[in-house]
């Protein structure tokens, strides 16, 4: 069971970002095997990422049941999404479609 939080040592309470290592490995391997198609860096392969007009794909984190606990406490770190899930995300993104049983 992988847990992204560091619970002990000097980095206790911080979040690990293993996805960055996986992306770095993916880009490295792609560049080694297809240098004519894949650049050396992720950003070179995804130049539209910095375009301010692109459709954002990020999703806000849901409200957690321990959001009221101090950020430096174990209670906050062990918080779980509150039910029903609620997100503070602002207006809907352009082109976003919510799939429901009624329209699927």
């Amino acid at each position: 069971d992988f847990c992204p939080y560091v619970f002990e040592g000097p980095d206790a309470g911080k979040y690990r970002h293993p996805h960055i290592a996986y992306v770095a490995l993916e880009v490295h391997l792609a560049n080694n095997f297809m240098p004519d198609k894949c650049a050396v860096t992720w950003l070179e392969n995804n130049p539209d990422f910095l375009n301010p007009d692109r459709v954002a794909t990020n999703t806000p984190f849901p409200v957690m049941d321990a959001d009221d606990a101090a950020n430096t406490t174990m209670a906050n770190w062990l918080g779980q999404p509150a039910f029903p899930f609620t997100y503070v995300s602002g207006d809907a993104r352009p082109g976003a479609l919510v799939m429901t049983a009624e329209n699927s």
Side-chain angles (χ1 to χ4, degrees):
D1 185 36
F2 175 73
C3 182
Y5 291 99
V6 179
F7 287 100
E8 297 177 355
D11 292 328
K14 294 183 180 176
Y15 186 76
R16 296 179 184 144
H17 297 280
H19 57 282
I20 295 172
Y22 296 138
V23 169
L25 178 61
E26 179 182 39
V27 169
H28 173 75
L29 292 174
N31 178 258
N32 279 346
F33 290 99
M34 300 183 294
D36 54 321
K37 293 183 177 181
C38 303
V40 175
T41 68
W42 182 89
L43 196 53
E44 288 174 301
N45 291 315
N46 299 279
D48 291 338
F49 181 76
L50 297 179
N51 180 351
D53 297 326
R54 75 180 176 89
V55 175
T57 57
N58 57 321
T59 301
F61 211 68
V63 172
M64 304 294 280
D65 63 6
D67 280 345
D68 56 342
N71 289 343
T72 56
T73 64
M74 186 67 76
N76 181 277
W77 302 341
L78 296 176
Q80 297 296 312
F83 292 107
F85 292 134
T86 55
Y87 296 87
V88 180
S89 62
D91 297 333
R93 288 175 271 176
L97 174 65
V98 176
M99 295 298 293
T100 64
E102 289 80 29
N103 68 0
S104 60

